[in-house]
Amino acid sequence: MNQTTQKTPLPAREMFLLKMGEIVLKGLNRKSFEQRLMGNLQRRLHPFGKFRAYCRQSTIYVEPINDECDLDGAWEGLKQVFGISGLSRARSCPKDKDAFVEAAKSYLGDKLLAAKSFKVESKRSDKSFPMTSIQLSQYVGGLLAEAFPHIKVDVHNPELTVYLEVRDFAGYVHANPEPGAGGLPVGSGGKAVALLSGGLDSPVACYMMAKRGLSLDMIHFFSYPYTSEEAKQKVLDLAKIIAPYCGRMNVHVVPFTKIQEDLRRNCPEPYFTIAMRRYMMRIAQMVARDIDAHALVTGESLGQVASQTMDAMAVTENVCTMPVFRPVIGMDKEEIVRIARKIGTFETSILPYEDCCTVFTPRHPKTRPTVDELVEIEENYDYEALCREAVEGIEVVKIKP
């Protein structure tokens, strides 16, 4: 696939029109966002055959090169590409009023037969076209009403809308566009490391930050034998589920058993979870620096558990020098579940496998810790050496959409 501005459309096959979202609001750096989006589209389309794609007038045209392309697979894949606000399956035709009529009859005939009401909307980007948008809509709509006498014209609340577009390269006919993933192209906002557990919240947090243009690597803390291989596989499965949205990624699996056992020996029980979270943030930041990432992402939601009070999060973040993004911080569980169902992670997240955060859970956790309290506790162990040892033992698993 290439992104050249071709001026001759391929033979009349079904193709896609993709509408860019907030990219069109960018200023002098808009081109870099468009180039990032085109690269992401190229990778997403590659498994489904050979496509030609080009961008003009805030629209991306995706045309199959041959009949072997898997249009249905490509269509589903494109729905998960951030940066696209809407998608339409369309048919190209010559820029002629009667060609629009014939294209609408042949391409949308089944939809017109099934609908009870319709209207025609036209967009004339090519101002050299001799008819105005209203004139073209009236002409095509009148002939379609004659060809399909059972269907009523309803300009206010139609069951089917026939869209006509007069653009530089050709005319296009399509109906009922679908919403895209929205957001900004993955990678346009830089790179971050996300803490990925086996729960509901962290995959949703990854999805939300990818939607804002972040390229992500994941980090997972694995405490064998307190957590099982099945629990680890669950996390890798979650990474695979969100990969179509987040793109290619590495999952850094951190051996965390020694750290948790050391904490159990040396850390007062009420502070155990907070001290553990400080370890996680230190290690995640070390990984981020190694891969040239510049922020951390967590799935923390304010007040959801004892370690997610305002005071507790301030203490855990105190060990970081880079930004910590918490996209679900103000969401309740119902909102998080709704997104988890939408992106397909819900059923995997609720599988009953243990997580390292549930190992040695204190009976009465401290909800309002202070930094000074944790600094004093950490004098009892060499946390820097333990962090370095954990980072050296990381297993990296590559995930592709």
Side-chain angles (χ1 to χ4, degrees):
M1 189 187 83
N2 61 65
Q3 60 185 66
T4 58
T5 53
Q6 305 285 349
K7 294 201 174 184
T8 303
L10 291 168
R13 298 187 181 97
E14 188 174 37
M15 45 89 69
F16 307 137
L17 299 179
L18 312 180
K19 306 294 184 180
M20 287 187 287
E22 58 185 286
I23 293 176
V24 301
L25 304 176
K26 300 299 179 182
L28 297 177
N29 62 344
R30 172 174 168 175
K31 191 67 177 179
S32 65
F33 285 87
E34 291 181 355
Q35 290 173 342
R36 178 73 66 171
L37 176 57
M38 295 299 287
N40 294 346
L41 287 173
Q42 181 176 10
R43 285 187 289 273
R44 186 57 53 85
L45 288 168
H46 179 72
F48 304 108
K50 295 182 178 180
F51 291 84
R52 186 176 77 180
Y54 47 94
C55 178
R56 191 70 177 269
Q57 297 175 322
S58 302
T59 297
I60 298 173
Y61 304 78
V62 179
E63 301 174 341
I65 297 293
N66 52 49
D67 294 331
E68 283 69 49
C69 292
D70 178 4
L71 288 179
D72 291 336
W75 176 253
E76 294 303 318
L78 291 173
K79 289 181 183 179
Q80 298 171 310
V81 176
F82 289 126
I84 300 298
S85 63
L87 309 86
S88 299
R89 297 178 82 133
R91 174 72 59 81
S92 64
C93 67
K95 292 187 287 185
D96 173 81
K97 61 182 180 179
D98 292 314
F100 276 111
V101 175
E102 294 307 312
K105 287 180 181 179
S106 62
Y107 183 58
L108 301 177
D110 290 342
K111 289 183 171 63
L112 287 163
L113 285 170
K116 295 179 180 179
S117 62
F118 86 110
K119 73 172 181 178
V120 176
E121 285 192 7
S122 301
K123 180 178 181 180
R124 187 177 63 118
S125 300
D126 179 2
K127 301 306 180 184
S128 67
F129 188 73
M131 302 175 74
T132 66
S133 297
I134 294 176
Q135 289 171 337
L136 180 60
S137 295
Q138 291 173 337
Y139 180 82
V140 174
L143 292 180
L144 289 179
E146 292 179 10
F148 301 89
H150 74 285
I151 193 171
K152 295 180 180 180
V153 176
D154 184 348
V155 297
H156 299 294
N157 189 29
E159 185 177 335
L160 175 69
T161 301
V162 176
Y163 293 93
L164 311 178
E165 300 197 27
V166 187
R167 293 189 167 268
D168 284 2
F169 313 136
Y172 299 91
V173 176
H174 58 97
N176 295 346
E178 295 189 23
L184 294 171
V186 169
S188 63
K191 188 172 186 178
V193 168
L195 280 69
L196 182 64
S197 70
L200 285 161
D201 305 338
S202 56
V204 170
C206 294
Y207 162 83
M208 294 178 68
M209 293 314 303
K211 188 173 183 177
R212 298 313 306 155
L214 282 187
S215 171
L216 297 173
D217 263 22
M218 311 298 175
I219 187 167
H220 175 65
F221 296 89
F222 182 53
S223 295
Y224 185 82
Y226 303 106
T227 57
S228 64
E229 287 290 338
E230 289 81 5
K232 172 183 168 183
Q233 186 59 49
K234 171 186 172 180
V235 170
L236 297 178
D237 290 341
L238 285 171
K240 292 175 184 176
I241 292 170
I242 60 175
Y245 294 102
C246 299
R248 298 171 296 178
M249 69 180 76
N250 293 325
V251 179
H252 304 259
V253 182
V254 179
F256 206 53
T257 306
K258 186 173 181 179
I259 288 175
Q260 289 195 293
E261 290 179 337
D262 188 78
L263 284 172
R264 183 174 60 172
R265 291 190 297 268
N266 298 307
C267 179
E269 183 183 351
Y271 294 90
F272 180 89
T273 302
I274 301 299
M276 179 187 69
R277 294 288 297 174
R278 282 165 66 89
Y279 265 113
M280 289 179 171
M281 301 301 275
R282 288 186 178 104
I283 293 170
Q285 183 167 261
M286 292 169 71
V287 171
R289 287 173 175 161
D290 286 344
I291 64 172
D292 198 28
H294 301 286
L296 304 180
V297 176
T298 77
E300 292 166 300
S301 174
L302 184 62
Q304 185 168 234
V305 294
S307 63
Q308 294 177 17
T309 63
M310 183 166 60
D311 298 281
M313 286 189 286
V315 172
T316 58
E317 187 174 344
N318 174 259
V319 300
C320 298
T321 58
M322 61 177 57
V324 179
F325 298 140
R326 299 179 174 94
V328 303
I329 189 73
M331 299 173 67
D332 60 30
K333 209 65 177 182
E334 189 173 314
E335 294 172 296
I336 294 170
V337 166
R338 185 163 58 248
I339 297 176
R341 290 186 185 277
K342 172 186 172 182
I343 64 178
T345 57
F346 177 79
E347 296 297 336
T348 302
S349 290
I350 63 174
L351 292 174
Y353 296 120
E354 61 286 320
D355 182 270
C356 75
C357 292
T358 63
V359 176
F360 313 136
T361 303
R363 290 166 294 180
H364 303 289
K366 187 79 170 179
T367 59
R368 302 187 67 180
T370 66
V371 172
D372 290 341
E373 289 172 334
L374 269 296
V375 169
E376 182 179 349
I377 291 169
E378 288 172 347
E379 292 176 355
N380 296 325
Y381 43 84
D382 188 354
Y383 61 83
E384 291 183 356
L386 287 168
C387 286
R388 286 195 300 271
E389 184 178 348
V391 170
E392 290 171 359
I394 284 176
E395 173 194 3
V396 178
V397 181
K398 296 184 180 295
I399 305 290
K400 293 182 179 180

